[in-house]
């Protein structure tokens, strides 16, 4: 348990719940980082880790990110995250039983932590968790949930890209702008479609070549091989796949003016935000621009928003980015540092 103890002592969060699931050999980690603004919200990630402690460390790191994401979005929620660290990804009856036991764990927290789907979990999985737990978002629409949050994430990124253009060019017009979308999953494909509709000169890339070709043909885009993404000339680079794409090795090779995409943890290290700033590349902090999916689920399922209200809040992501860019320019700091200043200013408990 030494690794767990070391992680817990170094963490600045409020509560970590750890449970070992003997039937599957899985570890359940629920990390509540902050409830200053309200109950902690965050997805449930299911993943195979080299060691159980790596799963706990992931949950801690991600929960802190959710605190900043929800604060900068001005949502009445705190940050949390759950990780199911499994020996192998379960299927069928075994998966269902694990999710039911996990649902009982979340329910036992009495609403302090509220969850949704994340890596390797789905709306169908949330339907199962909801059989034992009332604090679940992102269930299937058939079960009364908000469904796939990818549409909210994509729409928020779309508005964020337009805000980036407005900051640099004085106009949010997309027509003729070269935009490269990396990753064509639930979010990336939707984003590419909206950009094409807006008249962007679209480039797309995905590790699945057939998928990339299909999307390109549908949208009139050009396919960029994955190994050529970094270094491709485009005004906007939208990373919508894996994290860590912005690193000491890749930033000097970027040929864009704007980085604005949906991927989580785009910066390999915090220093990479400073590298982008020094290179004169406008960076939309990932936890700001990709908050649309969270807003979709919380707004529709908990706050009573209709679609018009949701769209207004998704447009607000662009407004928030403009405020962050203005602050960064005023203080001569990176947009990442300015975003953190805004988020932390909203985490001060009321007097």
């Amino acid at each position: 348990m030494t690794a767990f103890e070391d992680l817990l002592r170094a963490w600045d969060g409020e509560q970590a719940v750890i449970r070992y699931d003997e039937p599957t050999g899985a570890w359940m980690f629920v990390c509540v980082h902050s409830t200053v603004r309200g109950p902690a919200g965050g997805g449930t990630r299911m993943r195979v880790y080299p060691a159980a402690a790596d799963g706990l460390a992931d949950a801690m790191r991600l929960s802190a990110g959710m605190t900043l994401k929800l604060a900068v979005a001005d949502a009445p929620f705190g940050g949390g995250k759950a990780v199911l660290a499994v020996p192998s990804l379960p299927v069928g009856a075994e998966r269902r039983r694990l999710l039911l036991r996990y649902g009982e764990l979340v329910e036992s927290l009495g609403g302090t932590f509220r969850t949704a789907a994340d890596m390797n979990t789905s709306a169908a999985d949330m339907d199962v968790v909801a059989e034992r737990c009332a604090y679940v978002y992102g269930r299937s629409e058939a079960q009364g949930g908000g469904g796939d949050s990818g549409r909210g994430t994509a729409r928020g990124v779309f508005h964020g890209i337009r805000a980036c253009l407005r900051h640099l060019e004085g106009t949010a017009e997309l027509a003729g702008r070269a935009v490269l979308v990396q990753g064509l999953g639930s979010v990336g494909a939707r984003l590419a479609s909206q950009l094409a509709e807006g008249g962007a000169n679209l480039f797309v890339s995905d590790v699945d070549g057939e998928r990339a070709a299909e999307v390109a043909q549908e949208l009139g885009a050009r396919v960029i091989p994955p190994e050529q993404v970094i270094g491709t000339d485009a005004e906007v680079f939208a990373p919508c796949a894996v994290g860590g794409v912005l690193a000491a090795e890749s930033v000097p090779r970027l040929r864009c003016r704007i980085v604005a995409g949906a991927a989580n943890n785009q910066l390999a290290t915090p220093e990479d935000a400073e590298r982008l700033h020094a290179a004169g590349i406008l960076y939309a902090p990932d936890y700001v621009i990709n908050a649309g999916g969270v807003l979709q689920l919380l707004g529709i399922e908990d706050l009573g928003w209709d679609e018009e209200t949701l769209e207004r809040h998704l447009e607000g992501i662009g407004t928030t980015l403009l405020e962050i860019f203005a602050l960064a320019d005023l203080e001569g700091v990176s947009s990442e540092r300015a975003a953190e200043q805004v988020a932390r200013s909203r985490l001060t408990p009321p007097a």
Side-chain angles (χ1 to χ4, degrees):
M1 296 294 290
T2 303
F4 285 1
E5 292 170 354
D6 290 344
L7 288 168
L8 291 167
R9 287 195 180 102
W11 190 47
D12 65 347
E14 295 179 6
Q15 179 183 16
V17 179
I18 302 172
R19 180 171 297 180
Y20 179 68
D21 187 62
E22 192 277 333
T24 60
W27 287 90
M28 301 179 185
F29 302 112
V30 178
C31 291
V32 175
H33 182 263
S34 173
T35 57
V36 169
R37 295 181 58 87
T44 296
R45 174 169 295 197
M46 185 184 295
R47 185 179 169 188
V48 178
Y49 292 87
D54 295 322
L56 176 58
D58 205 17
M60 289 177 166
R61 176 180 58 83
L62 293 165
S63 69
M66 286 301 298
T67 293
L68 295 177
K69 174 181 286 193
L70 289 163
V72 80
D74 207 21
F77 295 88
K81 204 74 173 185
V83 162
L84 302 180
V86 294
S88 60
L89 293 177
V91 297
E94 181 183 46
R95 185 183 186 93
R96 174 177 169 78
R97 288 191 290 267
L98 172 62
L99 291 170
L100 289 173
R101 290 190 291 270
Y102 168 66
E104 291 169 356
L105 173 61
V106 175
E107 177 68 21
S108 73
L109 301 179
T112 302
F113 174 69
R114 306 178 181 207
T115 197
D118 195 81
M119 179 185 291
N120 293 323
T121 59
S122 65
D125 290 325
M126 293 304 103
D127 288 346
V128 176
V129 175
E131 292 181 30
R132 301 288 173 83
C133 178
Y135 309 108
V136 181
Y137 302 102
R139 292 168 294 147
S140 66
E141 294 182 14
Q143 295 298 317
D148 183 1
S149 63
R151 69 181 182 93
T153 304
R155 190 65 177 168
V157 173
F158 174 79
H159 287 303
I161 288 173
R162 296 181 74 247
C164 291
L165 291 168
R166 182 180 296 279
H167 179 73
L168 288 184
E169 303 290 345
T171 174
E173 180 62 51
L174 279 163
R177 303 287 187 186
V179 183
L180 169 57
V181 178
Q182 177 195 40
L184 300 171
S186 171
V187 175
R190 285 183 170 100
L191 174 62
S193 178
Q194 293 175 39
L195 291 167
E197 186 176 346
N201 180 19
L202 190 63
F203 301 86
V204 297
S205 184
D206 196 278
V207 292
D208 183 340
E210 291 185 4
R211 174 64 173 160
E214 177 186 333
V215 171
Q217 182 175 13
E218 178 184 348
L219 301 179
R222 175 184 166 191
V223 175
I224 303 297
E227 66 275 11
Q228 295 179 19
V229 165
I230 303 298
T232 293
D233 284 315
E235 188 160 4
V236 181
F237 173 40
C240 297
V242 296
V245 69
L246 305 173
E249 302 78 18
S250 61
V251 170
R253 297 167 51 214
L254 289 173
R255 296 294 178 266
C256 61
R257 300 181 65 205
I258 295 166
V259 175
N264 288 312
N265 305 312
Q266 293 171 31
L267 302 173
T269 69
E271 292 75 22
D272 295 309
E274 304 305 323
R275 293 188 178 98
L276 289 165
H277 180 60
I281 297 173
L282 183 65
Y283 171 58
D286 50 28
Y287 64 86
V288 180
I289 196 171
N290 70 11
V294 174
L295 292 176
Q296 173 193 327
L297 297 183
L298 297 179
I300 289 178
E301 297 188 33
D302 204 354
L303 301 177
W305 295 353
D306 57 18
E307 288 295 322
E308 182 178 345
T309 305
L310 172 61
E311 175 65 12
R312 188 165 64 250
H313 281 83
L314 295 177
E315 288 178 3
I317 289 174
T319 303
T320 298
L321 282 170
L322 289 173
E323 294 171 358
I324 288 168
F325 297 150
L327 176 62
D329 288 347
L330 179 65
E331 299 196 357
V333 299
S334 70
S335 56
E336 180 80 359
R337 185 172 298 182
E340 187 170 343
Q341 287 183 33
V342 171
R344 295 201 181 283
S345 72
R346 296 173 179 175
L347 289 170
T348 303

